[in-house]
Amino acid sequence: MQKRRRWLAIAFGLIVASMLSASAADAQSTAALDPAKLAEIRDQNAKCFACHSPEGLKSPPRQDMDLDKLKTMLHDPALYETSSHGRVECRTCHGVGATTFPHGANLKAQVSPCSECHAAKVFRIETQFDASVHAKTQKDKFTCWSCHDGHVYNIAAKIGAPHKIIAQDNAMCLDCHNSDLQFSKFAPVDKRRPLIGRIHEWLPNTQLHWAAVRCVECHTPAGRGFSHEILDKSKAEKNCVSCHSRDSSLRTRLYRHLLAEEEETLGFVNSVILPHAYIIGATRNPWIDGAVGAVAALLIVGMLVHTVLRLGAALWRRRGRRPA
Ligand code: HEC
Ligand code: HEC
Ligand code: HEC
Ligand code: HEC
Ligand code: HEC
Ligand code: HEC
Ligand code: HEC
């Protein structure tokens, strides 16, 4: 009963949280975009992809341009369209200077900041980001864009499957932390790149962990949900039990979208389904725990009944056999 009440509370919390976050979404929602508008966006973006895509580079619409430079600026239309910004026109962020070629002079400086469309979210996230190791050590160089490539990034809730979320979010960190070139662009001149494998040697099955868990799970403050505050290494999570336990911290982090979605489609009681009981030593399923308990209880009752019947039968037989 206690358990069920806790699940009710969690489900209720999730519903309220999703309602709150929906109302706080300030970027104009494109969820119910009409097909004509969508086609118009695709047409506009196709103009950019005519040059800025692998296809475009193969048959450029004109020859009088720096093809070597263009080669470093290609984008995949399919990846773009399935990203969170897939329904945003390129020129909305890049400005009208991008719509003509040759492009306007300081195109780079004209890009819209995230806050232009995500004011409320940026307000919340920026305070966390400002407290992170990266913002503290690399003040001006490190921006939202250093982690989020807005041309491909997808929000976790939309991805759903944990292994895909993990792949995307870990690539974010590893593209830089596993690349001397990229790392050196941000690190102080005398800083050598620490080898990620070597640093985490204390973690058994390190490779398996990289595929099953995100860097941010250990490198952000514990607690509900996700914070953008990447902590100092001395504060990183080293305690195995924080994940390898029944009340795993992963439930309110990595798996939170999964649980929310299942709660929506299956009802909250069924949401704690077995296939997702990744965590060693925990089924996280009150129904199975209940069923096992019921089976055990039935067994005991069965044994008691059996004993009583046998005792009764033996008594009856003995009385029957007694000489009159
Ligand atoms: C006719 C080909 C062509 C088209 C169409 C085109 N671009 Fe470009 N773009 C280039 C080339 C070549 C470069 C690199 C050299 C340069 O800037 O001249 C470039 C550079 C850029 C840059 C980098 C600027 C910098 O200084 O770092 C951005 C951003 C950009 N384009 C965005 C866009 C957007 C957005 C569109 C569509 C609205 C678009 N481009 C359409 C060819 C094109
Ligand atoms: C949400 C805003 C946003 C949208 C939408 C967007 N971009 Fe960008 N783009 C940026 C930002 C920010 C940068 C600068 C990244 C940096 O400084 O490294 C950038 C960089 C670029 C560059 C130059 C560097 C590179 O890696 O190629 C090109 C080219 C470019 N964008 C093309 C496009 C095209 C084509 C589209 C549409 C299909 C598009 N962008 C949509 C924000 C956006
Ligand atoms: C021109 C406006 C614009 C700019 C600038 C912009 N975004 Fe967005 N962003 C959007 C729109 C529109 C959506 C889609 C919202 C939806 O589908 O409900 C979106 C969605 C997102 C999402 C998915 C989560 C959500 O709220 O739906 C993330 C994450 C995101 N943007 C991050 C960024 C980051 C980081 C930057 C800066 C590097 C940025 N955006 C800049 C317009 C913008
Ligand atoms: C150190 C890398 C990193 C930096 C820097 C970063 N982010 Fe994120 N961001 C992430 C990761 C990882 C997630 C996925 C977390 C999750 O949803 O579980 C995320 C998720 C998000 C989301 C979607 C979830 C939410 O809370 O709404 C938004 C919006 C977002 N980031 C915006 C920003 C903005 C704005 C900035 C700059 C102030 C920024 N990010 C800087 C790593 C980063
Ligand atoms: C664009 C490059 C880049 C990205 C992306 C990046 N980092 Fe870093 N990170 C750095 C650099 C450079 C340093 C070293 C800063 C210094 O020592 O001044 C650093 C330092 C750190 C440190 C050590 C802090 C300390 O106490 O010494 C941790 C932990 C860390 N990053 C975790 C992450 C995580 C987790 C992600 C992904 C969510 C991430 N980083 C994404 C460049 C990056
Ligand atoms: C299971 C928890 C855990 C995971 C997952 C994890 N880390 Fe760590 N990380 C730690 C701990 C704990 C330390 C501090 C180790 C120490 O000081 O001995 C650390 C240290 C670091 C440092 C500091 C290195 C230095 O000495 O300056 C960086 C950078 C880092 N991690 C990046 C990452 C990246 C990138 C990922 C994802 C691929 C990741 N970590 C995944 C727990 C974790
Ligand atoms: C941030 C969460 C997290 C932390 C912290 C963590 N683990 Fe894990 N660990 C996982 C996940 C998730 C898996 C994958 C489980 C699976 O796929 O069956 C895993 C897998 C493992 C496995 C492999 C199990 C198997 O089925 O092969 C071992 C062993 C392990 N962890 C030991 C540890 C030890 C020891 C520590 C502490 C030093 C630790 N873990 C810390 C999340 C974590």
Side-chain angles (χ1 to χ4, degrees):
M1 207 55 217
Q2 269 264 303
K3 254 181 229 152
R4 208 170 302 165
R5 228 179 268 147
R6 203 169 70 194
W7 279 108
L8 245 174
I10 290 171
F12 182 70
L14 281 166
I15 291 164
V16 170
S18 69
M19 275 159 66
L20 282 177
S21 68
S23 67
D26 42 346
Q28 196 184 6
S29 178
T30 44
L33 211 56
D34 78 87
K37 180 80 187 137
L38 195 59
E40 194 193 315
I41 293 169
R42 296 253 158 94
D43 281 352
Q44 281 301 332
N45 290 355
K47 290 182 189 163
C48 310
F49 286 131
C51 291
H52 289 283
S53 67
E55 282 303 307
L57 185 71
K58 257 188 243 159
S59 48
R62 50 195 287 173
Q63 295 301 326
D64 58 333
M65 43 184 188
D66 188 344
L67 291 178
D68 283 334
K69 204 167 169 196
L70 181 63
K71 207 184 283 175
T72 64
M73 299 178 171
L74 303 183
H75 296 266
D76 181 337
L79 277 183
Y80 182 80
E81 268 159 30
T82 51
S83 76
S84 281
H85 288 138
R87 292 165 174 190
V88 181
E89 282 186 30
C90 313
R91 60 178 181 178
T92 322
C93 282
H94 285 290
V96 285
T99 55
T100 51
F101 193 86
H103 291 318
N106 51 349
L107 207 53
K108 218 171 182 173
Q110 284 175 26
V111 188
S112 313
C114 314
S115 55
E116 199 170 294
C117 309
H118 298 284
K121 274 192 177 174
V122 170
F123 184 73
R124 161 175 60 87
I125 292 170
E126 220 160 38
T127 19
Q128 301 167 348
F129 172 68
D130 286 344
S132 75
V133 282
H134 298 114
K136 279 196 215 143
T137 54
Q138 305 149 68
K139 212 142 193 57
D140 301 320
K141 271 187 274 178
F142 214 96
T143 65
C144 311
W145 204 260
S146 308
C147 281
H148 291 280
D149 181 346
H151 303 114
V152 296
Y153 182 80
N154 241 324
I155 189 165
K158 201 176 126 199
I159 302 177
H163 71 278
K164 287 191 191 152
I165 299 175
I166 295 162
Q168 167 180 279
D169 289 0
N170 282 359
M172 223 184 230
C173 316
L174 291 173
D175 282 351
C176 195
H177 276 280
N178 267 351
S179 155
D180 285 323
L181 179 70
Q182 189 65 4
F183 190 80
S184 66
K185 285 188 199 160
F186 290 85
V189 262
D190 53 341
K191 171 101 181 172
R192 292 272 303 276
R193 183 176 67 84
L195 297 174
I196 295 300
R198 176 114 19 105
I199 306 161
H200 300 91
E201 261 169 359
W202 50 271
L203 189 64
N205 295 359
T206 323
Q207 289 306 322
L208 185 130
H209 275 100
W210 287 176
V213 88
R214 295 180 301 178
C215 316
V216 291
E217 249 71 72
C218 295
H219 285 288
T220 57
R224 296 190 77 80
F226 171 76
S227 161
H228 270 79
E229 183 184 350
I230 307 290
L231 298 164
D232 186 274
K233 65 183 170 198
S234 64
K235 294 194 193 120
E237 185 62 77
K238 218 171 185 174
N239 183 5
C240 319
V241 177
S242 81
C243 294
H244 292 278
S245 65
R246 188 183 182 85
D247 262 334
S248 176
S249 62
L250 296 180
R251 286 192 50 244
T252 57
R253 294 172 160 223
L254 180 58
Y255 305 149
R256 72 181 195 273
H257 309 294
L258 202 70
L259 291 174
E261 189 180 287
E262 277 155 7
E263 270 152 19
E264 240 165 57
T265 52
L266 306 171
F268 72 90
V269 257
N270 287 324
S271 71
V272 256
I273 33 143
L274 242 208
H276 298 113
Y278 304 94
I279 304 303
I280 303 141
T283 67
R284 300 190 292 128
N285 189 326
W287 283 92
I288 288 184
D289 293 352
V292 170
V295 168
L298 273 176
L299 208 71
I300 292 166
V301 169
M303 276 157 67
L304 278 174
V305 169
H306 183 81
T307 315
V308 167
L309 283 178
R310 286 201 61 166
L311 269 173
L315 270 174
W316 189 78
R317 243 183 278 134
R318 207 177 295 164
R319 206 183 290 164
R321 251 191 263 126
R322 209 178 283 156

